[in-house]
Amino acid sequence: MHFRHGSRDEPEINLIPFIDVLLVVLIFLMLSTTYSKFTEMQLRLPVADVEAQRDYPKEVIVAVSADGRYSINKNVLPDRSVEAVAAALAAASGGARDNVVIISADANAAHQSVITVMEAARRAGLVQITFATQSAAQAGR
């Protein structure tokens, strides 16, 4: 038997089909991508200015803690139901409908806790509601 001992050629990788496939995938992704820039909602968020605070003479301050407890004018409520909060708001306002409810909620408080205060204020007949804020300088401390 006679075996040839010829030169051995190194196999090489042909990159042209690989580049063609990548270009097709790139074109497909470009055509199928939705651009979120055009589908975003344009929102203008409110800005709080601590120096321009108003002093409300007839105010009811409702504090909402991070764990969902309520305090009305520094009196902690034992019950967290809407009815109990509404009764406490009505008692704190003295039946006057022109009182302003100031909701001072913890940043980690659940949204439902704040909604409960708003619903209780509606049931108590208090329609003026505002939220307490703090400036960015105070938040950084």
Side-chain angles (χ1 to χ4, degrees):
M1 284 199 188
H2 183 5
F3 294 108
R4 287 195 317 203
H5 295 290
S7 65
R8 292 189 177 205
D9 292 333
E10 290 289 325
E12 69 180 61
I13 297 174
N14 191 358
L15 292 178
I16 294 174
F18 178 68
I19 293 172
D20 288 342
V21 169
L22 283 179
L23 286 175
V24 167
V25 169
L26 181 66
I27 292 171
F28 173 75
L29 289 175
M30 286 174 54
L31 293 176
S32 64
T33 301
T34 58
Y35 295 100
S36 62
K37 180 178 180 182
F38 299 115
T39 60
E40 289 180 357
M41 289 176 49
Q42 298 296 324
L43 297 177
R44 290 182 41 177
L45 298 176
V47 177
D49 187 9
V50 176
E51 294 176 9
Q53 283 183 345
R54 292 175 49 188
D55 186 26
Y56 297 108
K58 300 175 184 175
E59 60 187 22
V60 178
I61 299 173
V62 180
V64 181
S65 67
D67 60 351
R69 289 179 291 138
Y70 302 107
S71 170
I72 298 178
N73 290 339
K74 299 184 180 180
N75 297 323
V76 179
L77 298 180
D79 192 6
R80 298 181 185 182
S81 67
V82 177
E83 293 80 14
V85 176
L89 281 173
S93 68
R97 300 217 184 267
D98 60 341
N99 286 356
V100 177
V101 177
I102 299 175
I103 300 174
S104 178
D106 189 276
N108 296 324
H111 288 7
Q112 183 58 49
S113 300
V114 176
I115 298 298
T116 300
V117 173
M118 293 171 70
E119 174 64 18
R122 185 191 66 81
R123 288 185 185 183
L126 302 170
V127 294
Q128 295 182 17
I129 298 175
T130 186
F131 295 93
T133 59
Q134 64 181 355
S135 69
Q138 289 176 339
R141 286 190 219 173

